[in-house]
Amino acid sequence: GKGHVVEGRSVAGKILAVKSGKGSTEVQADGFYKLMQNNTLPKAIIIQEADPVIVSAAVMTECVMVDRMEVCPTDVISDGDHVEVDAYGGMISVTSAS
């Protein structure tokens, strides 16, 4: 959406960390489907508060997703950081880019 942190930027092959998907057109099912069609899905999504729409969209497009982390992902992950995601264990590992 307009003014969103990823506006005008590609998320293809990257890990997207966001606080929530509520009210954002980027995380609606049709948005996920378009990203999948264009081979531009992120490698994974780390989200603090996932609503049923984003969970369904991630499942339908087979996009890796981790939610309900102990800390908000946007508080501990900065643009350019190296992030490893263990979706089965619900764990992430962050190495600072700086």
Side-chain angles (χ1 to χ4, degrees):
K2 204 156 187 73
H4 194 278
V5 70
V6 297
E7 181 181 11
R9 298 177 65 187
S10 173
V11 295
K14 298 177 182 172
I15 295 177
L16 181 61
V18 293
K19 186 171 186 148
S20 76
K22 296 178 181 178
S24 175
T25 57
E26 285 84 11
V27 294
Q28 298 300 322
D30 60 332
F32 266 76
Y33 184 72
K34 288 175 186 172
L35 290 172
M36 184 183 74
Q37 280 185 315
N38 296 326
N39 288 329
T40 54
L41 277 171
K43 270 189 173 179
I45 297 174
I46 303 169
I47 186 166
Q48 185 64 30
E49 299 174 33
D51 64 18
V53 173
I54 192 170
V55 172
S56 298
V59 169
M60 289 186 321
T61 59
E62 298 182 2
C63 185
V64 174
M65 186 178 76
V66 176
D67 74 336
R68 298 184 186 154
M69 305 302 296
E70 289 180 17
V71 296
C72 183
T74 57
D75 290 343
V76 295
I77 300 172
S78 298
D79 196 23
D81 285 352
H82 178 81
V83 180
E84 292 184 34
V85 178
D86 173 2
Y88 293 109
M91 304 284 293
I92 62 170
S93 172
V94 181
T95 304
S96 177
S98 53

